[in-house]
PDB file of all heavy atoms in Angstrom:
ATOM      1  N   LYS A 711     -11.620  16.661  45.990  1.00  0.00           N
ATOM      2  CA  LYS A 711     -11.734  18.110  46.169  1.00  0.00           C
ATOM      3  C   LYS A 711     -13.192  18.562  46.256  1.00  0.00           C
ATOM      4  O   LYS A 711     -13.642  19.395  45.454  1.00  0.00           O
ATOM      5  CB  LYS A 711     -11.050  18.827  44.993  1.00  0.00           C
ATOM      6  CG  LYS A 711      -9.518  18.729  45.017  1.00  0.00           C
ATOM      7  CD  LYS A 711      -8.908  19.701  44.029  1.00  0.00           C
ATOM      8  CE  LYS A 711      -7.428  19.878  44.215  1.00  0.00           C
ATOM      9  NZ  LYS A 711      -6.634  18.654  44.276  1.00  0.00           N
ATOM     10  N   PRO A 712     -13.952  18.060  47.241  1.00  0.00           N
ATOM     11  CA  PRO A 712     -15.365  18.466  47.328  1.00  0.00           C
ATOM     12  C   PRO A 712     -15.503  19.963  47.583  1.00  0.00           C
ATOM     13  O   PRO A 712     -16.460  20.585  47.131  1.00  0.00           O
ATOM     14  CB  PRO A 712     -15.913  17.644  48.504  1.00  0.00           C
ATOM     15  CG  PRO A 712     -14.722  17.154  49.247  1.00  0.00           C
ATOM     16  CD  PRO A 712     -13.573  17.119  48.295  1.00  0.00           C
ATOM     17  N   SER A 713     -14.509  20.538  48.263  1.00  0.00           N
ATOM     18  CA  SER A 713     -14.602  21.964  48.592  1.00  0.00           C
ATOM     19  C   SER A 713     -14.443  22.841  47.350  1.00  0.00           C
ATOM     20  O   SER A 713     -14.856  23.994  47.336  1.00  0.00           O
ATOM     21  CB  SER A 713     -13.528  22.320  49.611  1.00  0.00           C
ATOM     22  OG  SER A 713     -12.276  21.924  49.086  1.00  0.00           O
ATOM     23  N   ARG A 714     -13.818  22.292  46.287  1.00  0.00           N
ATOM     24  CA  ARG A 714     -13.640  23.086  45.063  1.00  0.00           C
ATOM     25  C   ARG A 714     -14.809  22.890  44.093  1.00  0.00           C
ATOM     26  O   ARG A 714     -14.709  23.186  42.908  1.00  0.00           O
ATOM     27  CB  ARG A 714     -12.327  22.687  44.360  1.00  0.00           C
ATOM     28  CG  ARG A 714     -11.073  22.944  45.188  1.00  0.00           C
ATOM     29  CD  ARG A 714     -10.404  24.277  44.868  1.00  0.00           C
ATOM     30  NE  ARG A 714      -9.896  24.316  43.508  1.00  0.00           N
ATOM     31  CZ  ARG A 714      -8.616  24.099  43.166  1.00  0.00           C
ATOM     32  NH1 ARG A 714      -7.741  23.811  44.098  1.00  0.00           N
ATOM     33  NH2 ARG A 714      -8.230  24.186  41.920  1.00  0.00           N
ATOM     34  N   GLU A 715     -15.915  22.346  44.621  1.00  0.00           N
ATOM     35  CA  GLU A 715     -17.130  22.139  43.836  1.00  0.00           C
ATOM     36  C   GLU A 715     -16.921  21.230  42.632  1.00  0.00           C
ATOM     37  O   GLU A 715     -17.488  21.442  41.569  1.00  0.00           O
ATOM     38  CB  GLU A 715     -17.730  23.498  43.406  1.00  0.00           C
ATOM     39  CG  GLU A 715     -18.342  24.243  44.577  1.00  0.00           C
ATOM     40  CD  GLU A 715     -18.850  25.618  44.201  1.00  0.00           C
ATOM     41  OE1 GLU A 715     -19.012  25.885  43.012  1.00  0.00           O
ATOM     42  OE2 GLU A 715     -19.072  26.402  45.129  1.00  0.00           O
ATOM     43  N   ARG A 716     -16.080  20.213  42.788  1.00  0.00           N
ATOM     44  CA  ARG A 716     -15.981  19.184  41.758  1.00  0.00           C
ATOM     45  C   ARG A 716     -17.106  18.185  42.023  1.00  0.00           C
ATOM     46  O   ARG A 716     -17.484  17.968  43.178  1.00  0.00           O
ATOM     47  CB  ARG A 716     -14.636  18.436  41.796  1.00  0.00           C
ATOM     48  CG  ARG A 716     -13.384  19.245  41.961  1.00  0.00           C
ATOM     49  CD  ARG A 716     -13.127  20.285  40.923  1.00  0.00           C
ATOM     50  NE  ARG A 716     -13.364  19.895  39.547  1.00  0.00           N
ATOM     51  CZ  ARG A 716     -13.283  20.749  38.540  1.00  0.00           C
ATOM     52  NH1 ARG A 716     -13.002  22.019  38.758  1.00  0.00           N
ATOM     53  NH2 ARG A 716     -13.488  20.353  37.316  1.00  0.00           N
ATOM     54  N   SER A 717     -17.613  17.547  40.968  1.00  0.00           N
ATOM     55  CA  SER A 717     -18.714  16.613  41.197  1.00  0.00           C
ATOM     56  C   SER A 717     -18.254  15.161  41.250  1.00  0.00           C
ATOM     57  O   SER A 717     -19.028  14.263  41.562  1.00  0.00           O
ATOM     58  CB  SER A 717     -19.785  16.787  40.116  1.00  0.00           C
ATOM     59  OG  SER A 717     -19.212  16.557  38.850  1.00  0.00           O
ATOM     60  N   GLY A 718     -17.003  14.907  40.898  1.00  0.00           N
ATOM     61  CA  GLY A 718     -16.503  13.526  40.962  1.00  0.00           C
ATOM     62  C   GLY A 718     -17.014  12.658  39.825  1.00  0.00           C
ATOM     63  O   GLY A 718     -17.103  11.436  39.945  1.00  0.00           O
ATOM     64  N   MET A 719     -17.342  13.279  38.705  1.00  0.00           N
ATOM     65  CA  MET A 719     -17.930  12.525  37.588  1.00  0.00           C
ATOM     66  C   MET A 719     -17.011  12.431  36.367  1.00  0.00           C
ATOM     67  O   MET A 719     -17.394  11.858  35.339  1.00  0.00           O
ATOM     68  CB  MET A 719     -19.261  13.167  37.181  1.00  0.00           C
ATOM     69  CG  MET A 719     -20.370  12.975  38.202  1.00  0.00           C
ATOM     70  SD  MET A 719     -20.695  11.227  38.553  1.00  0.00           S
ATOM     71  CE  MET A 719     -21.551  10.754  37.062  1.00  0.00           C
ATOM     72  N   GLY A 720     -15.797  12.976  36.453  1.00  0.00           N
ATOM     73  CA  GLY A 720     -14.917  13.007  35.274  1.00  0.00           C
ATOM     74  C   GLY A 720     -14.598  11.626  34.720  1.00  0.00           C
ATOM     75  O   GLY A 720     -14.809  11.357  33.527  1.00  0.00           O
ATOM     76  N   PHE A 721     -14.129  10.723  35.568  1.00  0.00           N
ATOM     77  CA  PHE A 721     -13.790   9.373  35.105  1.00  0.00           C
ATOM     78  C   PHE A 721     -15.039   8.645  34.594  1.00  0.00           C
ATOM     79  O   PHE A 721     -14.979   7.887  33.627  1.00  0.00           O
ATOM     80  CB  PHE A 721     -13.120   8.561  36.220  1.00  0.00           C
ATOM     81  CG  PHE A 721     -11.647   8.847  36.386  1.00  0.00           C
ATOM     82  CD1 PHE A 721     -11.069   8.935  37.649  1.00  0.00           C
ATOM     83  CD2 PHE A 721     -10.817   9.001  35.272  1.00  0.00           C
ATOM     84  CE1 PHE A 721      -9.705   9.190  37.802  1.00  0.00           C
ATOM     85  CE2 PHE A 721      -9.458   9.256  35.418  1.00  0.00           C
ATOM     86  CZ  PHE A 721      -8.909   9.347  36.686  1.00  0.00           C
ATOM     87  N   THR A 722     -16.162   8.887  35.278  1.00  0.00           N
ATOM     88  CA  THR A 722     -17.412   8.229  34.853  1.00  0.00           C
ATOM     89  C   THR A 722     -17.812   8.698  33.453  1.00  0.00           C
ATOM     90  O   THR A 722     -18.204   7.898  32.599  1.00  0.00           O
ATOM     91  CB  THR A 722     -18.536   8.540  35.865  1.00  0.00           C
ATOM     92  OG1 THR A 722     -18.074   8.158  37.159  1.00  0.00           O
ATOM     93  CG2 THR A 722     -19.809   7.779  35.536  1.00  0.00           C
ATOM     94  N   PHE A 723     -17.664  10.001  33.184  1.00  0.00           N
ATOM     95  CA  PHE A 723     -17.963  10.511  31.831  1.00  0.00           C
ATOM     96  C   PHE A 723     -17.019   9.883  30.802  1.00  0.00           C
ATOM     97  O   PHE A 723     -17.449   9.459  29.737  1.00  0.00           O
ATOM     98  CB  PHE A 723     -17.828  12.034  31.774  1.00  0.00           C
ATOM     99  CG  PHE A 723     -18.956  12.772  32.449  1.00  0.00           C
ATOM    100  CD1 PHE A 723     -18.721  13.996  33.070  1.00  0.00           C
ATOM    101  CD2 PHE A 723     -20.246  12.257  32.461  1.00  0.00           C
ATOM    102  CE1 PHE A 723     -19.751  14.688  33.692  1.00  0.00           C
ATOM    103  CE2 PHE A 723     -21.289  12.935  33.081  1.00  0.00           C
ATOM    104  CZ  PHE A 723     -21.041  14.156  33.711  1.00  0.00           C
TER     105      PHE A 723
END
Side-chain angles (χ1 to χ4, degrees):
K711 288 193 167 51
S713 55
R714 298 264 295 261
E715 289 176 16
R716 316 302 317 174
S717 59
M719 289 302 286
F721 279 140
T722 305
F723 286 148

